[in-house]
Amino acid sequence: MSTIVHVRRTRRAIVVAAALGVAAVCGSVVAAAPVAFAGEPSHTSLSVQAPASVGFAGGPVEFTEDITNSGQESTGYHLELQTVTDVGTPPDAIVIDYRDPADGTWKSVPLGMTRTSGGVVYDGTVLGLTVPAGRTLRVDLRIGAPMGLPHDGATNGGFRSIALHSAVVVDPHEPAQAEVTSTIKVTSITSSLDHVPATAVAGGAPVEFDATLDNPTPSDYTNLGNVLFVDRYATVQVRTADGAWRTLDKVAGIAPDDPYGVYLQGRDSGLRSGGKVVARVRVSYDAKTPAGTTTLGSCVFVNEGLPFRGTTKCAAHSTIQVLPAATKAPEPSPSSSSSAPSSSSAPSASSAPSAPVSSAPAGAAVPVSASSPSAPAPADPSTTSTAPSTPQARVADAAQPAAPSSVQLASTGADHTAGLAVGGLALTAAGAGALWLRRVLRRA
């Protein structure tokens, strides 16, 4: 029997939102005892194997839910699915799919969105799940936090966890036969600049360092832009597989004073769950570079639409002291780096489709090492993000609160100012981390 899915805003939505909000804050998992239906004892139980976490702006993660009918008759059920996230959650922030038992293909569960005082509720229902007497039916599902649509990543909102409420009902207008509430953490892909030299000479030899992109989440990422931000005087090269150095194009920001961005693996690249890519990079500064401090920044954009506009994750930045052109090249010295604190604008609901991740397109940097290969680059980048240099940029730590050294995936503002957009809940830190790019430009 084919499964049917529809969207239904239940009368319990607001009550469930409040309950799930508490569960999300407490990080608890609650399994409710079966509820009596129509005055009769329930012969139904529900077991949920929810994922421990999903990647912020990444692809969906698979899990299962088991419906057991211990009664004497075959019974038809509906599986209601609701999520509750923080108040700032944007549209298209949650996706739930199910595997249709009729043909084995993944199909989307249409979700309705409701804003309540307890958070933002997404809900949908899988209909027509028949369980024979004394049998258990396993339902294959997957859930993700894409934070927007392909090539249109959200620029507002974010959250640290998802409270998932699953309920089995016979009649949508009656109490649930069984229900379970689970808490799913939201973690983030990360980027970093490693071993950046402390000084460089204008017109002199380039400085070399590593640019690392790491995906510790259970989500595959697609439509990625791993961007190195530099000033106007810099030339960026990456080392290819054959040991040669390839010069990469610089892309200007929206505003004249914005820094320039370089896509280290090209636009629309990707990285599978558990994957890690390290690119060897060198940067040189022409003879006209003013002496003083300049900054290197590292950001990952997901579902990028316009350049540097989409769901964004930015790492700690590094500073380099540029010496006058006549200065003799200094001996190698330790890198000088400073963390860019999170300026959080609630990570925008950006869509990060679950298509397989892709490797850097032709002409892009080839990683020096990779703990896991990146998948072929999908045709669609995801996210709209603002160019990272405005005070309005928000740093995303909503997806990964446990990583203080780097900001989490978050959305950038949708205005025409340049800004590092990032995730969700650390609103008190808003704007702080994005100021470094503006300072760099002023010094430049």
Side-chain angles (χ1 to χ4, degrees):
M1 178 179 179
S2 177
T3 303
I4 302 172
V5 179
H6 77 162
V7 178
R8 186 178 63 78
R9 307 250 176 117
T10 68
R11 294 174 298 174
R12 298 188 294 274
I14 295 179
V15 175
V16 170
L20 293 180
V22 172
V25 172
C26 299
S28 61
V29 177
V30 178
V35 179
F37 176 74
E40 298 294 332
S42 173
H43 299 290
T44 306
S45 62
L46 174 66
S47 175
V48 178
Q49 296 76 44
S53 64
V54 299
F56 187 73
V61 178
E62 296 184 25
F63 68 104
T64 59
E65 300 198 7
D66 295 332
I67 304 172
T68 299
N69 176 14
S70 59
Q72 301 300 313
E73 297 180 355
S74 179
T75 305
Y77 297 102
H78 311 310
L79 178 60
E80 297 180 345
L81 300 167
Q82 292 184 338
T83 66
V84 176
T85 47
D86 294 322
V87 174
T89 299
D92 302 306
I94 298 292
V95 62
I96 300 177
D97 302 323
Y98 76 103
R99 194 191 300 273
D100 191 336
D103 55 18
T105 61
W106 286 102
K107 296 180 180 179
S108 175
V109 177
L111 299 176
M113 178 182 174
T114 305
R115 299 186 184 277
T116 74
S117 58
V120 175
V121 178
Y122 281 87
D123 65 342
T125 304
V126 181
L127 298 176
L129 299 172
T130 300
V131 185
R135 301 291 296 275
T136 296
L137 173 67
R138 171 155 289 183
V139 183
D140 294 319
L141 299 162
R142 59 188 185 188
I143 185 170
M147 302 306 295
L149 299 173
H151 298 277
D152 188 18
T155 58
N156 247 336
F159 41 85
R160 298 174 187 266
S161 64
I162 300 169
L164 172 66
H165 183 76
S166 306
V168 176
V169 300
V170 173
D171 183 339
H173 301 289
E174 297 293 340
Q177 295 274 296
E179 50 193 339
V180 175
T181 299
S182 310
T183 299
I184 303 170
K185 293 182 180 179
V186 180
T187 55
S188 175
I189 195 170
T190 66
S191 64
S192 64
L193 304 179
D194 307 310
H195 315 299
V196 178
T199 58
V201 177
V207 295
E208 295 186 22
F209 54 91
D210 292 330
T212 301
L213 182 64
D214 189 14
N215 179 13
T217 80
S219 295
D220 289 344
Y221 277 83
T222 187
N223 300 329
L224 283 179
N226 183 20
V227 178
L228 173 68
F229 285 102
V230 297
D231 66 30
R232 69 189 69 183
Y233 304 101
T235 297
V236 179
Q237 296 178 307
V238 295
R239 190 165 62 194
T240 59
D242 59 3
W245 290 96
R246 174 177 296 142
T247 301
L248 302 181
D249 293 334
K250 292 192 298 184
V251 179
I254 296 176
D257 290 338
D258 290 346
Y260 287 79
V262 176
Y263 292 89
L264 297 179
Q265 283 85 34
R267 295 185 70 174
D268 305 340
S269 63
L271 192 60
R272 294 191 184 280
S273 171
K276 184 176 183 179
V277 177
V278 181
R280 188 64 176 176
V281 181
R282 69 182 186 185
V283 176
S284 57
Y285 296 91
D286 65 34
K288 296 181 180 179
T289 306
T293 300
T294 189
T295 305
L296 299 175
S298 176
C299 291
V300 179
F301 297 90
V302 186
N303 288 326
E304 186 180 23
L306 297 175
F308 320 141
R309 299 187 65 179
T311 302
T312 310
K313 184 266 182 222
C314 291
H317 64 272
S318 297
T319 57
I320 295 179
Q321 187 72 20
V322 179
L323 305 177
T327 305
K328 182 180 178 181
E331 295 296 323
S333 56
S335 63
S336 168
S337 65
S338 58
S339 303
S342 318
S343 71
S344 76
S345 96
S348 65
S350 81
S351 73
S354 62
V357 276
S358 65
S359 60
V366 176
V368 173
S369 66
S371 65
S372 155
S374 353
D380 242 355
S382 58
T383 73
T384 49
S385 74
T386 58
S389 74
T390 55
Q392 297 176 345
R394 303 174 179 179
V395 172
D397 55 359
Q400 198 169 338
S405 64
S406 67
V407 202
Q408 290 185 318
L409 271 177
S411 58
T412 57
D415 58 10
H416 293 287
T417 58
L420 299 176
V422 223
L425 299 179
L427 294 178
T428 56
L435 294 178
W436 65 269
L437 284 174
R438 181 63 66 186
R439 297 194 187 101
V440 172
L441 295 174
R442 291 174 179 168
R443 284 195 289 268

